[in-house]
Amino acid sequence: MDEKFWYKIWQVALLFAVIAMLAASLVVQSSNLSSADVREILANHGLSDDGVDQGWPVDRSIRPELVAISELKTAPADETHATYAPAVAAPIERSDQRTFDVSIESVEGVCPLDPETGTTTEKWGFRIAGDTGVTCGSPGPILRGRVGDVVNITFSNLQGNKLPHNIDFHAITGQGGGAPDLTVLPGETGTIQVRLLYPGAFMYHCDYGDVPSHIAHGMFGMFIVDPETPLPRVDAEWAIMQSEWYVGEPADNGEAPYDAGAVLREDATFVTFNGRTDALTGDNALRMEVGDRARIYFVNHGLALNSNFHPIGSQWDLVYPEAATHAANRVIRGSQTTLVPSGGATVVELDALVPSTIRLVDHALGRTFYKGATGTIIVSGDKQPELFNVLQPATPTEH
Ligand SMILES: [Cu+2]
């Protein structure tokens, strides 16, 4: 054996020794963590030690155990299931599944889009059946039920309308969210019976023909499905819906024509909260008192833009991302801007801490400053010097 051979043997032995030492140190390190430590670390991240998220096994659905429809009672007579934004019905906190009916009509009309410039446009939408005061119906009614509930949905297309319409409910599990079986010509009515399986805030929209055209004319609304474990009570709840309008230059009478080319280019003319530029400003501003907590159900109807929902001068104390309000989900605490995809939603909560005017925006701010995506929350109450002070109002600097 020459010297070279023994040198190679020594090199290999050294390599093995180093690997053995590294492995031993890893064993020592991991053995320093007791299983209680591991559980605590996981718990701090909202996880339990068997890979379960907040106690809900990932191999089991979050859908509720269903009671047979034949055994369900009707929802209490004083329970409300349809309102108009920003108002929402009272949370449904009962512990059992029920049945209830909703009845919706489609409407077609010409209504204000940007009152500041006198711009109107042809809008198609939805209203609570028989509510003759609503001529454009955009956004449509805010529906509300509880997970596990059975809903009989009747949809009528008003006699005198020009077009067939229907409704695709994102909250519904079944062909097209109900759209094919709710497709009605002017003067026709259809009814479906559906089960609410997942809690959250869901978009609904017309899904007939040139669907982008029907949505861009305003045919959308929101369905809030309350979870089995009710969300904590808050002082106010509101519904806000972002959407885009694609229109050309207004005619002399102020009516701006639909612009299909702008839809193709994804080049929105207006971006609004609740269907028009002034729905949440001026006399329509939302109001809170210092000490109040509010919850906003927010759906982004698109068509094309994701929303960057932000409260100027405040924060989201709590976000249920994607409006997934089942107790199995983790929430986000203390966020500034939350992303809401087109065709998606979020639920956010904020506290009124300081008297101020909070401005709700899509923080892609061109949409807020030039296209209408803005709303205001006026917070009134005593000044809160522990939180916010003006030490010296702006004056000319002396130098
Ligand atoms: Cu339609």
Side-chain angles (χ1 to χ4, degrees):
M1 303 288 168
D2 60 6
E3 209 170 287
K4 230 176 182 175
F5 174 79
W6 286 113
Y7 181 67
K8 272 188 181 155
I9 291 287
W10 180 80
Q11 275 185 318
V12 171
L14 191 65
L15 185 66
F16 272 103
V18 168
I19 290 170
M21 279 164 65
L22 278 171
S25 76
L26 282 174
V27 169
V28 170
Q29 274 183 22
S30 63
S31 68
N32 285 341
L33 287 176
S34 69
S35 57
D37 291 334
V38 171
R39 271 198 295 276
E40 190 183 333
I41 291 168
L42 288 169
N44 288 340
H45 289 83
L47 296 164
S48 70
D49 57 347
D50 55 355
V52 169
D53 213 355
Q54 301 211 349
W56 202 271
V58 292
D59 60 356
R60 182 154 65 87
S61 171
I62 61 161
R63 293 188 302 277
E65 294 284 334
L66 297 181
V67 178
I69 294 176
S70 58
E71 292 172 24
L72 293 184
K73 286 190 268 184
T74 307
D78 61 352
E79 209 172 86
T80 304
H81 300 109
T83 58
Y84 293 108
V88 299
I92 297 173
E93 297 175 332
R94 55 180 151 74
S95 58
D96 59 345
Q97 300 165 16
R98 300 288 185 107
T99 65
F100 65 90
D101 302 341
V102 294
S103 216
I104 298 171
E105 292 169 346
S106 62
V107 280
E108 300 172 357
V110 174
C111 283
L113 175 56
D114 183 35
E116 196 180 326
T117 57
T119 303
T120 62
T121 195
E122 184 174 343
K123 293 181 176 182
W124 312 332
F126 305 101
R127 70 184 185 193
I128 298 167
D131 190 351
T132 52
V134 174
T135 55
C136 282
S138 182
I142 308 300
L143 307 178
R144 191 161 196 171
R146 176 195 181 274
V147 77
D149 284 353
V150 168
V151 195
N152 301 312
I153 300 172
T154 296
F155 178 51
S156 303
N157 192 349
L158 282 189
Q159 195 85 52
N161 283 349
K162 292 179 296 184
L163 293 162
H165 298 293
N166 62 24
I167 314 179
D168 166 0
F169 292 93
H170 290 192
I172 286 178
T173 310
Q175 185 60 51
D181 297 298
L182 289 177
T183 299
V184 281
L185 298 168
E188 289 184 344
T189 295
T191 300
I192 56 173
Q193 183 173 69
V194 301
R195 201 85 184 220
L196 303 176
L197 297 179
Y198 291 93
F202 296 88
M203 177 182 188
Y204 69 79
H205 61 89
C206 183
D207 195 46
Y208 181 80
D210 179 357
V211 178
S213 161
H214 284 248
I215 295 176
H217 276 85
M219 299 202 84
F220 48 73
M222 184 191 302
F223 204 141
I224 299 169
V225 182
D226 284 307
E228 288 181 291
T229 306
L231 301 187
R233 288 191 176 170
V234 291
D235 300 291
E237 288 193 328
W238 297 305
I240 300 178
M241 286 159 282
Q242 179 167 331
S243 74
E244 297 137 37
W245 301 88
Y246 298 84
V247 295
E249 281 298 313
D252 287 346
N253 66 359
E255 187 179 337
Y258 176 68
D259 182 351
V263 173
L264 271 176
R265 297 191 304 276
E266 301 191 350
D267 181 15
T269 324
F270 291 93
V271 182
T272 60
F273 291 155
N274 288 350
R276 45 193 280 175
T277 57
D278 67 341
L280 296 172
T281 59
D283 291 342
N284 301 321
L286 305 170
R287 290 177 183 274
M288 298 174 79
E289 293 284 329
V290 167
D292 284 351
R293 185 173 178 86
R295 176 178 297 133
I296 299 172
Y297 295 90
F298 183 95
V299 170
N300 179 14
H301 296 293
L303 291 167
L305 305 173
N306 296 330
S307 176
N308 314 277
F309 193 40
H310 170 69
I312 294 179
S314 187
Q315 296 81 26
W316 304 128
D317 185 80
L318 187 152
V319 179
Y320 296 91
E322 303 204 5
T325 53
H326 189 284
N329 293 304
R330 275 174 284 171
V331 298
I332 295 171
R333 303 304 304 261
S335 157
Q336 62 194 298
T337 300
T338 198
L339 184 63
V340 190
S342 174
T346 192
V347 180
V348 290
E349 294 179 12
L350 81 166
D351 288 321
L353 298 175
V354 174
S356 57
T357 298
I358 297 169
R359 193 166 179 194
L360 302 172
V361 300
D362 180 337
H363 213 286
L365 285 172
R367 303 170 191 168
T368 291
F369 278 77
Y370 311 125
K371 298 188 173 184
T374 186
T376 44
I377 303 176
I378 297 170
V379 179
S380 50
D382 295 334
K383 286 186 176 178
Q384 302 293 321
E386 292 291 331
L387 300 182
F388 184 84
N389 281 307
V390 178
L391 297 182
Q392 181 192 313
T395 50
T397 309
E398 290 173 24
H399 61 70

mmCIF file of all heavy atoms in Angstrom, residues 111-120 270 276-278 372:
data_model
loop_
_atom_site.group_PDB
_atom_site.id
_atom_site.type_symbol
_atom_site.label_atom_id
_atom_site.label_comp_id
_atom_site.label_asym_id
_atom_site.label_seq_id
_atom_site.Cartn_x
_atom_site.Cartn_y
_atom_site.Cartn_z
ATOM 1 N N CYS A 111 -80.013 55.129 -15.303
ATOM 2 C CA CYS A 111 -79.861 55.656 -13.948
ATOM 3 C C CYS A 111 -78.528 56.384 -13.798
ATOM 4 O O CYS A 111 -77.615 56.197 -14.602
ATOM 5 C CB CYS A 111 -79.938 54.524 -12.933
ATOM 6 S SG CYS A 111 -81.617 53.948 -12.627
ATOM 7 N N PRO A 112 -78.401 57.204 -12.736
ATOM 8 C CA PRO A 112 -77.158 57.942 -12.500
ATOM 9 C C PRO A 112 -75.964 57.011 -12.318
ATOM 10 O O PRO A 112 -76.072 55.961 -11.685
ATOM 11 C CB PRO A 112 -77.441 58.708 -11.204
ATOM 12 C CG PRO A 112 -78.925 58.832 -11.141
ATOM 13 C CD PRO A 112 -79.440 57.564 -11.758
ATOM 14 N N LEU A 113 -74.836 57.428 -12.903
ATOM 15 C CA LEU A 113 -73.573 56.717 -12.717
ATOM 16 C C LEU A 113 -72.583 57.648 -12.020
ATOM 17 O O LEU A 113 -71.973 57.276 -11.023
ATOM 18 C CB LEU A 113 -73.034 56.271 -14.083
ATOM 19 C CG LEU A 113 -71.664 55.608 -14.100
ATOM 20 C CD1 LEU A 113 -71.620 54.397 -13.175
ATOM 21 C CD2 LEU A 113 -71.302 55.185 -15.533
ATOM 22 N N ASP A 114 -72.456 58.867 -12.559
ATOM 23 C CA ASP A 114 -71.556 59.856 -11.950
ATOM 24 C C ASP A 114 -72.319 61.172 -11.815
ATOM 25 O O ASP A 114 -72.221 62.049 -12.692
ATOM 26 C CB ASP A 114 -70.314 60.034 -12.835
ATOM 27 C CG ASP A 114 -69.315 61.004 -12.221
ATOM 28 O OD1 ASP A 114 -69.194 61.024 -10.977
ATOM 29 O OD2 ASP A 114 -68.669 61.758 -12.984
ATOM 30 N N PRO A 115 -73.094 61.340 -10.736
ATOM 31 C CA PRO A 115 -73.956 62.522 -10.589
ATOM 32 C C PRO A 115 -73.191 63.856 -10.669
ATOM 33 O O PRO A 115 -73.749 64.842 -11.130
ATOM 34 C CB PRO A 115 -74.580 62.326 -9.203
ATOM 35 C CG PRO A 115 -74.585 60.840 -9.014
ATOM 36 C CD PRO A 115 -73.313 60.371 -9.655
ATOM 37 N N GLU A 116 -71.924 63.853 -10.262
ATOM 38 C CA GLU A 116 -71.160 65.101 -10.290
ATOM 39 C C GLU A 116 -71.072 65.676 -11.707
ATOM 40 O O GLU A 116 -71.126 66.890 -11.906
ATOM 41 C CB GLU A 116 -69.761 64.845 -9.723
ATOM 42 C CG GLU A 116 -69.016 66.116 -9.343
ATOM 43 C CD GLU A 116 -67.627 65.834 -8.790
ATOM 44 O OE1 GLU A 116 -67.448 64.800 -8.112
ATOM 45 O OE2 GLU A 116 -66.734 66.645 -9.061
ATOM 46 N N THR A 117 -70.941 64.805 -12.694
ATOM 47 C CA THR A 117 -70.874 65.273 -14.077
ATOM 48 C C THR A 117 -72.198 65.068 -14.812
ATOM 49 O O THR A 117 -72.278 65.280 -16.022
ATOM 50 C CB THR A 117 -69.771 64.508 -14.845
ATOM 51 O OG1 THR A 117 -70.039 63.103 -14.773
ATOM 52 C CG2 THR A 117 -68.395 64.797 -14.285
ATOM 53 N N GLY A 118 -73.214 64.625 -14.093
ATOM 54 C CA GLY A 118 -74.517 64.404 -14.712
ATOM 55 C C GLY A 118 -74.548 63.199 -15.630
ATOM 56 O O GLY A 118 -75.432 63.085 -16.483
ATOM 57 N N THR A 119 -73.574 62.284 -15.450
ATOM 58 C CA THR A 119 -73.504 61.121 -16.344
ATOM 59 C C THR A 119 -74.452 60.027 -15.879
ATOM 60 O O THR A 119 -74.431 59.612 -14.719
ATOM 61 C CB THR A 119 -72.059 60.570 -16.383
ATOM 62 O OG1 THR A 119 -71.181 61.615 -16.791
ATOM 63 C CG2 THR A 119 -71.951 59.391 -17.349
ATOM 64 N N THR A 120 -75.272 59.584 -16.806
ATOM 65 C CA THR A 120 -76.137 58.424 -16.565
ATOM 66 C C THR A 120 -75.740 57.332 -17.554
ATOM 67 O O THR A 120 -74.972 57.573 -18.487
ATOM 68 C CB THR A 120 -77.617 58.770 -16.797
ATOM 69 O OG1 THR A 120 -77.778 59.144 -18.173
ATOM 70 C CG2 THR A 120 -78.074 59.921 -15.901
ATOM 71 N N PHE A 270 -65.354 53.953 -15.441
ATOM 72 C CA PHE A 270 -65.640 54.233 -14.033
ATOM 73 C C PHE A 270 -65.408 52.965 -13.219
ATOM 74 O O PHE A 270 -65.612 51.850 -13.709
ATOM 75 C CB PHE A 270 -67.106 54.677 -13.837
ATOM 76 C CG PHE A 270 -67.408 56.027 -14.404
ATOM 77 C CD1 PHE A 270 -67.912 56.170 -15.698
ATOM 78 C CD2 PHE A 270 -67.200 57.182 -13.640
ATOM 79 C CE1 PHE A 270 -68.191 57.419 -16.225
ATOM 80 C CE2 PHE A 270 -67.482 58.435 -14.163
ATOM 81 C CZ PHE A 270 -67.985 58.559 -15.456
ATOM 82 N N ARG A 276 -72.476 53.494 -8.188
ATOM 83 C CA ARG A 276 -72.380 54.874 -8.677
ATOM 84 C C ARG A 276 -71.323 55.603 -7.851
ATOM 85 O O ARG A 276 -70.980 55.170 -6.752
ATOM 86 C CB ARG A 276 -73.735 55.586 -8.615
ATOM 87 C CG ARG A 276 -74.497 55.390 -7.329
ATOM 88 C CD ARG A 276 -75.928 55.838 -7.439
ATOM 89 N NE ARG A 276 -76.048 57.303 -7.295
ATOM 90 C CZ ARG A 276 -77.189 57.959 -7.440
ATOM 91 N NH1 ARG A 276 -78.312 57.305 -7.732
ATOM 92 N NH2 ARG A 276 -77.235 59.281 -7.302
ATOM 93 N N THR A 277 -70.826 56.709 -8.399
ATOM 94 C CA THR A 277 -69.659 57.340 -7.783
ATOM 95 C C THR A 277 -69.977 57.975 -6.425
ATOM 96 O O THR A 277 -69.072 58.222 -5.641
ATOM 97 C CB THR A 277 -69.065 58.419 -8.720
ATOM 98 O OG1 THR A 277 -70.112 59.364 -9.019
ATOM 99 C CG2 THR A 277 -68.559 57.814 -10.015
ATOM 100 N N ASP A 278 -71.262 58.229 -6.158
ATOM 101 C CA ASP A 278 -71.610 58.910 -4.899
ATOM 102 C C ASP A 278 -72.350 57.998 -3.911
ATOM 103 O O ASP A 278 -72.957 58.480 -2.959
ATOM 104 C CB ASP A 278 -72.485 60.142 -5.199
ATOM 105 C CG ASP A 278 -73.854 59.737 -5.751
ATOM 106 O OD1 ASP A 278 -73.984 58.588 -6.235
ATOM 107 O OD2 ASP A 278 -74.788 60.566 -5.694
ATOM 108 N N GLY A 372 -63.846 57.000 -9.577
ATOM 109 C CA GLY A 372 -65.008 56.946 -8.688
ATOM 110 C C GLY A 372 -64.974 55.965 -7.542
ATOM 111 O O GLY A 372 -65.923 55.918 -6.752
#
